[in-house]
PDB file of all heavy atoms in Angstrom:
ATOM      1  N   GLU V 129      -9.274  -3.122  -1.625  1.00  0.00           N
ATOM      2  CA  GLU V 129      -8.831  -4.458  -1.222  1.00  0.00           C
ATOM      3  C   GLU V 129      -7.387  -4.448  -0.718  1.00  0.00           C
ATOM      4  O   GLU V 129      -7.042  -5.121   0.263  1.00  0.00           O
ATOM      5  CB  GLU V 129      -8.988  -5.443  -2.380  1.00  0.00           C
ATOM      6  CG  GLU V 129     -10.423  -5.718  -2.773  1.00  0.00           C
ATOM      7  CD  GLU V 129     -11.238  -6.293  -1.633  1.00  0.00           C
ATOM      8  OE1 GLU V 129     -10.667  -7.116  -0.871  1.00  0.00           O
ATOM      9  OE2 GLU V 129     -12.404  -5.919  -1.484  1.00  0.00           O
ATOM     10  N   ILE V 130      -6.551  -3.681  -1.409  1.00  0.00           N
ATOM     11  CA  ILE V 130      -5.141  -3.584  -0.971  1.00  0.00           C
ATOM     12  C   ILE V 130      -5.063  -2.945   0.402  1.00  0.00           C
ATOM     13  O   ILE V 130      -4.260  -3.360   1.245  1.00  0.00           O
ATOM     14  CB  ILE V 130      -4.328  -2.776  -2.004  1.00  0.00           C
ATOM     15  CG1 ILE V 130      -4.293  -3.495  -3.352  1.00  0.00           C
ATOM     16  CG2 ILE V 130      -2.909  -2.541  -1.499  1.00  0.00           C
ATOM     17  CD1 ILE V 130      -3.526  -2.751  -4.413  1.00  0.00           C
ATOM     18  N   LEU V 131      -5.910  -1.960   0.637  1.00  0.00           N
ATOM     19  CA  LEU V 131      -5.927  -1.296   1.941  1.00  0.00           C
ATOM     20  C   LEU V 131      -6.345  -2.275   3.036  1.00  0.00           C
ATOM     21  O   LEU V 131      -5.744  -2.286   4.131  1.00  0.00           O
ATOM     22  CB  LEU V 131      -6.878  -0.096   1.912  1.00  0.00           C
ATOM     23  CG  LEU V 131      -7.022   0.688   3.215  1.00  0.00           C
ATOM     24  CD1 LEU V 131      -5.678   1.259   3.652  1.00  0.00           C
ATOM     25  CD2 LEU V 131      -8.060   1.813   3.051  1.00  0.00           C
ATOM     26  N   LYS V 132      -7.339  -3.102   2.759  1.00  0.00           N
ATOM     27  CA  LYS V 132      -7.787  -4.082   3.753  1.00  0.00           C
ATOM     28  C   LYS V 132      -6.678  -5.099   4.056  1.00  0.00           C
ATOM     29  O   LYS V 132      -6.448  -5.457   5.220  1.00  0.00           O
ATOM     30  CB  LYS V 132      -9.022  -4.811   3.238  1.00  0.00           C
ATOM     31  CG  LYS V 132     -10.278  -3.953   3.199  1.00  0.00           C
ATOM     32  CD  LYS V 132     -11.465  -4.755   2.678  1.00  0.00           C
ATOM     33  CE  LYS V 132     -12.722  -3.889   2.615  1.00  0.00           C
ATOM     34  NZ  LYS V 132     -13.898  -4.655   2.101  1.00  0.00           N
ATOM     35  N   GLU V 133      -5.989  -5.544   3.009  1.00  0.00           N
ATOM     36  CA  GLU V 133      -4.885  -6.487   3.214  1.00  0.00           C
ATOM     37  C   GLU V 133      -3.755  -5.846   4.006  1.00  0.00           C
ATOM     38  O   GLU V 133      -3.155  -6.498   4.879  1.00  0.00           O
ATOM     39  CB  GLU V 133      -4.369  -6.970   1.859  1.00  0.00           C
ATOM     40  CG  GLU V 133      -5.365  -7.829   1.087  1.00  0.00           C
ATOM     41  CD  GLU V 133      -4.850  -8.220  -0.275  1.00  0.00           C
ATOM     42  OE1 GLU V 133      -3.689  -7.851  -0.605  1.00  0.00           O
ATOM     43  OE2 GLU V 133      -5.582  -8.890  -1.032  1.00  0.00           O
ATOM     44  N   ALA V 134      -3.460  -4.586   3.711  1.00  0.00           N
ATOM     45  CA  ALA V 134      -2.398  -3.874   4.444  1.00  0.00           C
ATOM     46  C   ALA V 134      -2.777  -3.689   5.909  1.00  0.00           C
ATOM     47  O   ALA V 134      -1.932  -3.850   6.794  1.00  0.00           O
ATOM     48  CB  ALA V 134      -2.134  -2.522   3.788  1.00  0.00           C
ATOM     49  N   GLN V 135      -4.028  -3.369   6.167  1.00  0.00           N
ATOM     50  CA  GLN V 135      -4.484  -3.201   7.544  1.00  0.00           C
ATOM     51  C   GLN V 135      -4.368  -4.515   8.316  1.00  0.00           C
ATOM     52  O   GLN V 135      -3.897  -4.539   9.463  1.00  0.00           O
ATOM     53  CB  GLN V 135      -5.935  -2.724   7.558  1.00  0.00           C
ATOM     54  CG  GLN V 135      -6.118  -1.294   7.064  1.00  0.00           C
ATOM     55  CD  GLN V 135      -7.581  -0.919   6.905  1.00  0.00           C
ATOM     56  OE1 GLN V 135      -8.456  -1.781   6.856  1.00  0.00           O
ATOM     57  NE2 GLN V 135      -7.850   0.372   6.796  1.00  0.00           N
ATOM     58  N   LEU V 136      -4.790  -5.604   7.684  1.00  0.00           N
ATOM     59  CA  LEU V 136      -4.728  -6.921   8.337  1.00  0.00           C
ATOM     60  C   LEU V 136      -3.289  -7.330   8.615  1.00  0.00           C
ATOM     61  O   LEU V 136      -2.961  -7.821   9.711  1.00  0.00           O
ATOM     62  CB  LEU V 136      -5.420  -7.964   7.467  1.00  0.00           C
ATOM     63  CG  LEU V 136      -5.486  -9.382   8.022  1.00  0.00           C
ATOM     64  CD1 LEU V 136      -6.246  -9.424   9.346  1.00  0.00           C
ATOM     65  CD2 LEU V 136      -6.121 -10.333   7.011  1.00  0.00           C
ATOM     66  N   TRP V 137      -2.395  -7.122   7.638  1.00  0.00           N
ATOM     67  CA  TRP V 137      -0.994  -7.478   7.817  1.00  0.00           C
ATOM     68  C   TRP V 137      -0.348  -6.653   8.912  1.00  0.00           C
ATOM     69  O   TRP V 137       0.397  -7.179   9.757  1.00  0.00           O
ATOM     70  CB  TRP V 137      -0.241  -7.270   6.509  1.00  0.00           C
ATOM     71  CG  TRP V 137       1.229  -7.593   6.619  1.00  0.00           C
ATOM     72  CD1 TRP V 137       1.818  -8.816   6.517  1.00  0.00           C
ATOM     73  CD2 TRP V 137       2.290  -6.649   6.890  1.00  0.00           C
ATOM     74  NE1 TRP V 137       3.178  -8.694   6.697  1.00  0.00           N
ATOM     75  CE2 TRP V 137       3.489  -7.404   6.932  1.00  0.00           C
ATOM     76  CE3 TRP V 137       2.320  -5.283   7.087  1.00  0.00           C
ATOM     77  CZ2 TRP V 137       4.719  -6.800   7.166  1.00  0.00           C
ATOM     78  CZ3 TRP V 137       3.539  -4.686   7.337  1.00  0.00           C
ATOM     79  CH2 TRP V 137       4.732  -5.436   7.367  1.00  0.00           C
ATOM     80  N   MET V 138      -0.634  -5.362   8.935  1.00  0.00           N
ATOM     81  CA  MET V 138      -0.047  -4.490   9.948  1.00  0.00           C
ATOM     82  C   MET V 138      -0.531  -4.864  11.346  1.00  0.00           C
ATOM     83  O   MET V 138       0.253  -4.890  12.309  1.00  0.00           O
ATOM     84  CB  MET V 138      -0.416  -3.036   9.642  1.00  0.00           C
ATOM     85  CG  MET V 138       0.284  -2.000  10.509  1.00  0.00           C
ATOM     86  SD  MET V 138       2.057  -1.859  10.194  1.00  0.00           S
ATOM     87  CE  MET V 138       2.050  -1.050   8.580  1.00  0.00           C
ATOM     88  N   LYS V 139      -1.804  -5.199  11.467  1.00  0.00           N
ATOM     89  CA  LYS V 139      -2.341  -5.595  12.772  1.00  0.00           C
ATOM     90  C   LYS V 139      -1.745  -6.921  13.246  1.00  0.00           C
ATOM     91  O   LYS V 139      -1.361  -7.061  14.417  1.00  0.00           O
ATOM     92  CB  LYS V 139      -3.861  -5.712  12.694  1.00  0.00           C
ATOM     93  CG  LYS V 139      -4.588  -4.386  12.548  1.00  0.00           C
ATOM     94  CD  LYS V 139      -6.098  -4.589  12.452  1.00  0.00           C
ATOM     95  CE  LYS V 139      -6.821  -3.259  12.309  1.00  0.00           C
ATOM     96  NZ  LYS V 139      -8.290  -3.436  12.176  1.00  0.00           N
ATOM     97  N   ASP V 140      -1.658  -7.893  12.344  1.00  0.00           N
ATOM     98  CA  ASP V 140      -1.101  -9.198  12.707  1.00  0.00           C
ATOM     99  C   ASP V 140       0.368  -9.087  13.119  1.00  0.00           C
ATOM    100  O   ASP V 140       0.807  -9.688  14.107  1.00  0.00           O
ATOM    101  CB  ASP V 140      -1.251 -10.185  11.542  1.00  0.00           C
ATOM    102  CG  ASP V 140      -2.694 -10.588  11.310  1.00  0.00           C
ATOM    103  OD1 ASP V 140      -3.523 -10.379  12.221  1.00  0.00           O
ATOM    104  OD2 ASP V 140      -2.991 -11.094  10.212  1.00  0.00           O
ATOM    105  N   THR V 141       1.129  -8.331  12.337  1.00  0.00           N
ATOM    106  CA  THR V 141       2.558  -8.154  12.641  1.00  0.00           C
ATOM    107  C   THR V 141       2.756  -7.461  13.978  1.00  0.00           C
ATOM    108  O   THR V 141       3.577  -7.888  14.803  1.00  0.00           O
ATOM    109  CB  THR V 141       3.244  -7.342  11.532  1.00  0.00           C
ATOM    110  OG1 THR V 141       3.062  -8.012  10.274  1.00  0.00           O
ATOM    111  CG2 THR V 141       4.725  -7.197  11.812  1.00  0.00           C
TER     112      THR V 141
END
Side-chain angles (χ1 to χ4, degrees):
E129 293 301 322
I130 297 179
L131 179 60
K132 290 180 181 179
E133 293 177 2
Q135 291 172 343
L136 182 61
W137 179 84
M138 188 69 71
K139 290 179 180 179
D140 290 343
T141 302

